[in-house]
Amino acid sequence: KQEVTQIPAALSVPEGENLVLNCSFTDSAIYNLQWFRQDPGKGLTSLLLIQSSQREQTSGRLNASLDKSSGRSTLYIAASQPGDSATYLCAVPYNSGYALNFGKGTSLLVTP
Amino acid sequence: GAGVSQSPSNKVTEKGKDVELRCDPISGHTALYWYRQSLGQGLEFLIYFQGNSAPDKSGLPSDRFSAERTGGSVSTLTIQRTQQEDSAVYLCASSYDRGTTGELFFGEGSRLTVL
């Protein structure tokens, strides 16, 4: 069974810092990996989708990398802002299926 | 609408009653997912619909849970004889899957409270 782990569970940083969120998964036979953001009381917002053939994807201040062989992905946030405060989740498809298996997320707080 | 729409946004019910939760996916999206998010827990997969194929029901926690998707669009998740442990946020997502999982777009969720 695919297990997804996110470290750290919570993170607090001052505004302006660059930071890295980590995601690991146990089954490297994945088609893709997705990073999401969830604000309190809200649904999830897709941030980045990395296909298995890709090593990284970038969107604005966000950069996500994927290393299938080691079962790891990182989400890099540059020049963090208070508006980045949210929970960040990574997800991979269950084995050969379509349903996504989510980590429990990293709760990020960026202080002014 | 432009996004995934869910209703109701909040539902309070008494133990033993049936509830229906509705999801209207993004137009043109072939795949629809239901997830459950309990307080302090991760997202739990419930059911997956893809086009006209038989749904993947492997995540449904009990036979009190069922879902249907009519005309390949709107979906309804039904919970019969609700229990307190059913209290959670039920999230719906849709995507355009072709060969593998596409980018998922989530609704705002339906918060269910069972008294």
Side-chain angles (χ1 to χ4, degrees), chain B residues 3-4 23-27 29-33 69 92-97 102-107:
Chain B
V4 177
C23 173
D24 197 347
I26 293 173
S27 177
H29 277 189
T30 57
L32 186 148
Y33 305 74
R69 188 180 185 191
C92 175
S94 70
S95 67
Y96 182 69
D97 291 351
E103 185 177 10
L104 260 65
F105 295 85
F106 279 83

Side-chain angles (χ1 to χ4, degrees), chain B residues 11-51:
Chain B
K11 176 72 176 179
V12 179
T13 190
E14 294 179 347
K15 178 181 173 181
K17 295 284 181 69
D18 297 351
V19 296
E20 286 189 350
L21 308 176
R22 175 189 167 103
C23 173
D24 197 347
I26 293 173
S27 177
H29 277 189
T30 57
L32 186 148
Y33 305 74
W34 283 99
Y35 283 86
R36 177 168 72 174
Q37 188 173 35
S38 304
L39 189 63
Q41 302 295 316
L43 271 80
E44 176 187 11
F45 164 70
L46 297 177
I47 189 168
Y48 165 72
F49 295 90
Q50 167 66 311

Side-chain angles (χ1 to χ4, degrees), chain A residues 35 37 47-48 57-64 75-78 84 88:
Chain A
W35 281 94
R37 166 186 175 139
L47 297 173
L48 290 162
Q57 278 278 14
T58 298
S59 176
R61 293 182 294 108
L62 305 180
N63 176 278
L75 178 66
Y76 175 82
I77 303 176
D84 295 330
Y88 292 80

Side-chain angles (χ1 to χ4, degrees), chain A residues 38-44, chain B residues 9-10 37 89 91 107-111:
Chain A
Q38 186 174 31
D39 292 284
K42 301 290 187 180
L44 279 69
Chain B
S9 54
N10 279 287
Q37 188 173 35
V89 177
L91 292 162
E108 294 286 288
S110 291
R111 180 177 297 276

Side-chain angles (χ1 to χ4, degrees), chain A residues 31-32 34 38 46 98 100, chain B residues 35 37 48 100-103 108:
Chain A
Y31 294 112
N32 56 44
Q34 298 187 40
Q38 186 174 31
S46 176
Y98 289 80
L100 292 182
Chain B
Y35 283 86
Q37 188 173 35
Y48 165 72
T100 184
T101 308
E103 185 177 10
E108 294 286 288

Side-chain angles (χ1 to χ4, degrees), chain A residues 84-104:
Chain A
D84 295 330
S85 299
T87 297
Y88 292 80
L89 300 107
C90 69
V92 294
Y94 281 107
N95 300 321
S96 60
Y98 289 80
L100 292 182
N101 191 8
F102 284 82
K104 293 192 175 182

